[in-house]
Structure formats: structure tokens, C-alpha cells
Amino acid sequence: MNEPVTSIPARSEGMIVPRPLRPGDVVAVVAPSGPCDPVRLARGVRVLEGLGLKVVTGAHVLDRDRYLAGSDAGRAADLQEAWCDPAVAAVICARGGYGATRILDLLDWDALRAAGPKALVGSSDVTALHQAFSVELGVASWFGPMLACATIGDPEGPEPRSFRHFTEALFGEPSPITGDRVITAGRAVAPVVGGNLSLLAALCGTPYALRARGRIVLLEDVTEEPYRIDRMLTQLLRSGALDGVAGIALGSWEDCGDPYPTLEERLAPLGVPVIAGLPVGHGSPQFSVLLGALGAIDAESCSLTGSITDPMEAV
């Protein structure tokens, strides 16, 4: 019988930071968004088991309803059950796609809050869950690779650099993430928020809209033309979501043409440090960022240091 997770979590700038995982911990795999490839998912589960973790999967993780991993009710129930299970130390999403925004109103936030914090891992469409868990639960969560996606679940095995950073993130302190382009010079130390640009734009006008004041914002996307990136950035700017932002870290822009003229045009006038080319989001490698925790961007080294517990670490 599995023992409940009872460790007291740390805090970073008011957000609860779940404890690192340990071998023997139970992790639950859920599919809150699009349907999973069962073969890829099975490979991903074996990868986690190879780390010494015990893996349980949601009852509906292989369901399929058009472009969704089953019904809204089923996807919400799997997430609710995993988070409220005292034996589970982390909830890892199988893949993104679309659908996480549809289940936000179906979650019992009082029950989730009472269950206490644990790690939530996922990216892309899971941005909606990161935003909601931040607002409702005050818990930091990992924006990183998912099990039924290429970086973890491909036949050749996990992409080595992504997997190394993923393991560092789950079990301890991840290494700094280095980009290759500086749009605006400077340094900033602040909590890191954000994620997928399309999802952040879609959350405008909802209770889970991005609030960037005093924060470093991570942005990335996939298969979006520059004019669409322009439109979504303009939406964030016009809605006030980026008011008071402390800095911006730009991740990958896979199959987005050349987004940099647009990104520079829309973001440089904010007058805050902006670094780009970070391997975060889609594509390979894909590193992990702890959203909600204190982080630092440094244009001189073009790096994002995440999950720091003391601002002096960034000096």
C-alpha cells in the first residue's frame, strides 16, 4: 500500500513549490487535452518506471472523442482523482493538443485545494492548467515534456538533453537554460509565468488570464504564422496582460516561419530584458521551467535560471 505524500513544500514568492520527487514515489498520468497514441504512452510510462517511479494511469487516459481524450467529464475526473489521491506525488500529462480549457469549470477547486500541493507537469495546451492551478491553488508547476510526445515517447527513446533536464527538474534543481538571441539587454529576477502564447491569448477575459506585473513571462508556440503571433501579442498588450512585466523569455517557435521581426517589434518597446531561442516549448530539445517560482533572466549570458529560492542566487 502506498504511503501518503506528507512532505512540507517550500514557497517561492508566495507560491507553493512542490517537493522534488524521490525513487519509489507514485506519479499519475492523465490526458486532460487531446487523445494519446497508446504505444507512445506505454513507452513514456516505461521511461518513468526506469527512474524508479511507480506509475498509475487515469481511467480515461486512452479514451478518444474526436480531437479530445474522451469526454470533458472523464478528463476532469481523472485529473481530480489523481490530484486528490494522497499517495500521488506528481501528476504528469500525457500530451497537449486541445481541451484543457474545457475542464476548468468541472474541477472541484475546494477539494483540490484541500488535497495539498504536488507537482503538475505538462506544456502546450496544459498552459491552461498551469494558469488555473496558480490562481486557484497558489502552486508552482512544471512546463515541460509530456509522456506521449516525441521527446519522451519516441521509439529511439527519450531525447537525451530533454530527458536529462526533465530528470533534474523532477528530482532536484534543473540547470540554467541558455538561448541564442538577445532582443533587449538587461537582467531580471522575478517569478516566472506564462507558457504557450495561443493559450495565454485564449485565456484573456477569463479568471485565469495572464497577469504579468512584476513577473518574467515565458512565451512559445508552434505552427503559427508571424501575423497570428502579432495578433496574439497585440491581444495580450491591449488587454493589459503584459502591463508591468519584469522581463520576457522566448522559447521555441517551431514551424512559425521567421517570428523574430514580429517579436522584436511588439516586445522591445516594453523596455524590459527580452531573451530568445530558449529550448522550451515544442521541438527538440525541450527543457523544463517551473512556472510560479522565482527565476532570473540574464541577457549577458542569454540564460533563464529557474526555481531559485534566494534572489542572491541570481547575482
Side-chain angles (χ1 to χ4, degrees):
M1 185 173 181
N2 296 317
E3 295 296 323
V5 178
T6 57
S7 297
I8 299 174
R11 285 185 176 267
S12 177
E13 293 293 294
M15 296 291 287
I16 302 169
V17 179
R19 69 160 176 84
L21 296 183
R22 298 186 289 258
D25 277 340
V26 178
V27 297
V29 178
V30 299
S33 302
C36 301
D37 177 336
V39 176
R40 260 189 175 169
L41 181 62
R43 292 193 201 104
V45 168
R46 289 195 295 272
V47 167
L48 289 185
E49 291 173 339
L51 294 173
L53 299 168
K54 300 175 182 177
V55 183
V56 297
T57 56
H60 302 281
V61 74
L62 291 179
D63 287 0
R64 179 182 290 267
D65 178 9
R66 298 166 294 156
Y67 43 78
L68 301 167
S71 68
D72 291 347
R75 300 194 323 278
D78 277 2
L79 178 57
Q80 182 94 28
E81 182 177 347
W83 193 267
C84 292
D85 185 342
V88 171
V91 178
I92 300 181
C93 298
R95 62 155 296 194
Y98 169 73
T101 52
R102 291 177 51 138
I103 69 172
L104 297 180
D105 292 340
L106 301 180
L107 297 171
D108 183 341
W109 292 109
D110 288 336
L112 293 172
R113 202 173 294 114
K118 56 192 66 179
L120 172 70
V121 184
S123 56
S124 195
D125 192 62
V126 182
T127 297
L129 295 181
H130 291 305
Q131 284 291 116
F133 276 51
S134 172
V135 171
E136 297 285 357
L137 308 182
V139 63
S141 50
W142 286 102
F143 189 89
M146 296 174 286
L147 296 192
C149 294
T151 49
I152 300 295
D154 261 9
E156 299 78 13
E159 195 281 319
R161 293 166 294 175
S162 305
F163 185 56
R164 181 171 58 251
H165 202 266
F166 178 73
T167 304
E168 290 174 356
L170 292 182
F171 288 93
E173 292 294 322
S175 306
I177 303 171
T178 303
D180 60 14
R181 184 185 300 242
V182 174
I183 292 177
T184 309
R187 300 177 68 254
V189 179
V192 182
V193 297
N196 181 264
L197 175 60
S198 298
L199 268 294
L200 295 171
L203 289 168
C204 284
T206 76
Y208 308 119
L210 175 68
R211 295 289 181 264
R213 185 170 298 279
R215 291 169 168 80
I216 295 167
V217 174
L218 169 71
L219 297 173
E220 64 83 28
D221 220 316
V222 62
T223 61
E224 296 288 356
E225 292 294 328
Y227 81 91
R228 292 172 60 87
I229 293 170
D230 188 334
R231 186 185 67 197
M232 291 184 285
L233 288 175
T234 300
Q235 185 175 6
L236 294 183
L237 290 164
R238 294 287 185 265
S239 70
L242 293 178
D243 288 358
V245 65
I248 297 174
L250 298 174
S252 61
W253 302 90
E254 288 289 305
D255 299 321
C256 291
D258 180 5
Y260 287 107
T262 298
L263 292 166
E264 183 170 355
E265 179 187 30
R266 305 307 283 141
L267 298 177
L270 294 173
V272 299
V274 181
I275 62 173
L278 302 173
V280 177
H282 293 80
S284 181
Q286 183 183 352
F287 289 4
S288 304
V289 175
L290 186 58
L291 299 178
L294 196 65
I297 58 174
D298 180 4
E300 185 174 350
S301 59
C302 197
S303 65
L304 169 66
T305 303
S307 191
I308 63 175
T309 56
D310 182 344
M312 292 302 293
E313 292 183 34
V315 175

